[in-house]
Amino acid sequence: MFADRAKIYIKSGKGGDGHVSFRREKYVPNGGPDGGDGGDGGSVILQVDDGLNTLTDFRHIRKYSAQNGEEGGKKNCRGKNGQDLIIKIPYGTVVKEAESGKVIVDMSGDNRRVTLLNGGKGGKGNQHYATSTMQVPKYAQPGQPAKEFELLLELKVIADVGLVGFPNVGKSTFLARVTNARPKIANYHFTTLNPNLGVVDLDDAKGFVIADIPGLIEGASEGVGLGYEFLRHIERTKVLIHIVDAASTEERDPIEDIYAINKELNAYNPEIAMRPQVIAANKIDMLYENEVLTKIKDEFEPKGIKVFPISAISGQGVRELLYHVNNLLEQLDDKPIIFEQEYFPEFHLADNEPYTVSYNEKDNEYVVEGPRIEKMLGYTNLESEKGFTFFQNFLKENGILAELEQLGIQEGDTVRMYGLAFDYYK
């Protein structure tokens, strides 16, 4: 089954902790610190694989984690770096942050390999903390934590021209005639459930890539049927060929069909509805009078939309249509449509974990809580002077001391953090 949308969870590797150790050699009773640094955690990398054309694999495996860095060792031995995780995706995949839906990267154009999450840096061993006043440091720096979040992957086909129209108007037949694509063709609704791509080769012209977008129905922009699944594939196309059944073989009014489809395009994305359109009035081999064609031309050509009577089966009128479309494309920017970045993972994930500062009237103490505080307490040696100073600076730089003062804390008051109690002094 064709899959063009998937949600996955990714996590970079945690940095290895720095090591605490001291030289223990014969005849060297008071050896200095020799704890090694931790290794860096692995990064999460996205890479285009031209052999992939669906996101099916991501429906079976949803969690992806890079390797953690190893802890430092004795004798200044540095921990081994964690292996990077390379996730292979199809060309044309738009990567979004799942909750906000904002674009992180569009894996199109020159974006073929992108580091999405950097692994945590390894912590420094205690060898780095020896000073003239503290020659036996008993603490080391912890490795930076892993970073994680959910991604939404959306595959949007790369094509210059999109075929739109109701089911059974002859889009697949048209694509099969003008390109080397071989779409499945049958007389029932939603025959085409996958976007089909083909290359149009023209004599003395550049040619272009064309996509048969599965048949739209009214309400598609609201998700009726498979609306959203189909409409996203039109977003990159620069010109739309709107195919209608001029012979009304299913007793549909072609003019009403054109307005209905344009209404869905506008509701989904007004920018798409503003792109150049060409109307292909198909099935003229089954048309016994030209009155319908005249009505279609009178309705749309005054609005700047050219109408071409064609037969996708016999090929009548197709050549003229293709050269007109090619001329339209030559007037437009030839750069591919690439979605701009809206979400920056490293910025959003940095230091954004919440904390709370409150006053417990019952116990007459101030309470500071939150994931960031808990992590800091977990890897800081508060028994050392340097470690305690480091923790105080953390509280100051993150505005926690300022919030305590706003609550009215006085010197000598108690501050509690996850079971640890401190006396407050400026």
Side-chain angles (χ1 to χ4, degrees):
M1 178 182 176
F2 179 83
D4 63 357
R5 204 163 189 254
K7 187 179 287 186
I8 64 172
Y9 161 88
I10 63 170
K11 183 178 182 180
S12 64
K14 174 189 177 300
D17 295 337
H19 191 66
V20 177
S21 62
F22 300 90
R23 291 171 59 195
R24 291 291 182 266
E25 299 178 19
K26 197 173 184 180
Y27 309 120
V28 186
N30 296 314
D34 68 350
D37 299 345
D40 296 337
S43 299
V44 179
I45 299 170
L46 296 182
Q47 182 172 305
V48 169
D49 185 338
D50 292 322
L52 298 175
N53 55 17
T54 80
L55 298 173
T56 302
D57 292 346
F58 297 103
R59 296 195 170 184
H60 306 297
I61 304 175
R62 295 182 179 269
K63 293 186 177 181
Y64 297 84
S65 300
Q67 193 176 40
N68 293 332
E70 290 184 355
E71 182 182 351
K74 298 179 180 179
K75 299 182 180 179
N76 301 327
C77 288
R78 188 180 190 277
K80 185 178 179 182
N81 290 342
Q83 283 189 342
D84 293 337
L85 174 66
I86 298 177
I87 302 176
K88 295 184 177 181
I89 58 178
Y91 183 72
T93 301
V94 178
V95 182
K96 299 180 178 181
E97 195 274 326
E99 184 175 352
S100 65
K102 292 183 177 180
V103 175
I104 299 173
V105 65
D106 182 351
M107 300 300 287
S108 306
D110 296 330
N111 291 332
R112 299 190 64 88
R113 183 182 171 97
V114 175
T115 299
L116 204 61
L117 284 182
N118 289 309
K121 292 290 185 184
K124 294 180 179 179
N126 70 332
Q127 60 172 308
H128 295 279
Y129 297 102
T131 66
S132 58
T133 58
M134 186 183 295
Q135 298 181 7
V136 285
K138 296 181 180 180
Y139 62 91
Q141 185 184 35
Q144 291 182 354
K147 297 172 183 175
E148 55 191 291
F149 64 98
E150 263 193 320
L151 295 180
L152 179 62
L153 306 179
E154 289 186 350
L155 180 58
K156 301 177 189 287
V157 298
I158 308 293
D160 303 303
V161 177
L163 300 181
V164 297
F166 273 81
N168 291 342
V169 294
K171 297 192 306 299
S172 296
T173 305
F174 177 82
L175 187 73
R177 167 160 289 279
V178 302
T179 73
N180 58 358
R182 293 294 175 264
K184 180 181 177 183
I185 300 172
N187 187 31
Y188 52 87
H189 290 300
F190 290 112
T191 299
T192 306
L193 290 181
N194 307 339
N196 290 299
L197 294 179
V199 178
V200 175
D201 293 318
L202 298 174
D203 296 333
D204 304 321
K206 185 179 179 181
F208 49 87
V209 178
I210 193 167
D212 171 18
I213 309 300
L216 298 177
I217 60 174
E218 291 181 82
S221 61
E222 301 170 2
V224 174
L226 298 176
Y228 275 132
E229 303 301 316
F230 297 160
L231 284 165
R232 73 168 56 93
H233 292 296
I234 307 175
E235 292 189 60
R236 292 193 198 272
T237 57
K238 298 175 182 178
V239 174
L240 299 177
I241 298 178
H242 202 138
I243 298 186
V244 294
D245 178 1
S248 301
T249 56
E250 294 193 346
E251 299 184 352
R252 300 186 60 88
D253 184 335
I255 294 177
E256 288 182 4
D257 282 358
I258 293 169
Y259 279 121
I261 294 297
N262 283 338
K263 179 182 177 182
E264 296 304 322
L265 295 178
N266 188 69
Y268 179 73
N269 186 339
E271 183 186 341
I272 297 174
M274 296 296 291
R275 291 175 190 166
Q277 278 194 33
V278 177
I279 294 174
N282 192 25
K283 303 186 182 181
I284 60 169
D285 52 311
M286 302 173 65
L287 197 62
Y288 300 105
E289 55 183 31
N290 291 327
E291 184 180 348
V292 175
L293 284 175
T294 302
K295 286 182 178 180
I296 297 174
K297 288 184 176 183
D298 290 346
E299 182 71 24
F300 294 101
E301 288 197 340
K303 299 176 181 178
I305 303 175
K306 185 79 172 170
V307 178
F308 287 85
I310 70 164
S311 169
I313 292 179
S314 69
Q316 182 181 349
V318 169
R319 178 182 172 85
E320 293 80 1
L321 168 64
L322 295 178
Y323 274 94
H324 176 74
V325 170
N326 194 69
N327 289 335
L328 287 177
L329 288 170
E330 288 179 348
Q331 298 171 25
L332 302 172
D333 188 348
D334 61 356
K335 292 182 179 178
I337 295 177
I338 297 177
F339 297 92
E340 297 293 331
Q341 185 171 9
E342 303 169 320
Y343 186 94
F344 300 83
E346 296 294 341
F347 174 78
H348 284 87
L349 295 177
D351 297 331
N352 64 345
E353 293 173 312
Y355 64 84
T356 59
V357 180
S358 60
Y359 174 65
N360 185 334
E361 191 172 352
K362 178 182 177 182
D363 297 326
N364 191 29
E365 59 185 20
Y366 295 83
V367 180
V368 181
E369 292 179 313
R372 291 173 66 191
I373 309 301
E374 188 174 17
K375 287 179 182 178
M376 182 61 70
L377 288 170
Y379 61 62
T380 304
N381 183 4
L382 298 178
E383 295 181 1
S384 71
E385 181 182 350
K386 195 166 185 177
F388 192 80
T389 302
F390 176 74
F391 186 64
Q392 280 187 313
N393 288 336
F394 167 81
L395 298 178
K396 181 178 180 180
E397 291 170 0
N398 286 273
I400 295 172
L401 294 183
E403 290 196 36
L404 288 169
E405 289 174 1
Q406 288 180 358
L407 289 175
I409 195 169
Q410 301 294 323
E411 287 198 354
D413 287 348
T414 300
V415 180
R416 183 170 296 281
M417 303 181 191
Y418 290 97
L420 298 176
F422 309 89
D423 292 330
Y424 175 79
Y425 291 100
K426 284 190 177 182

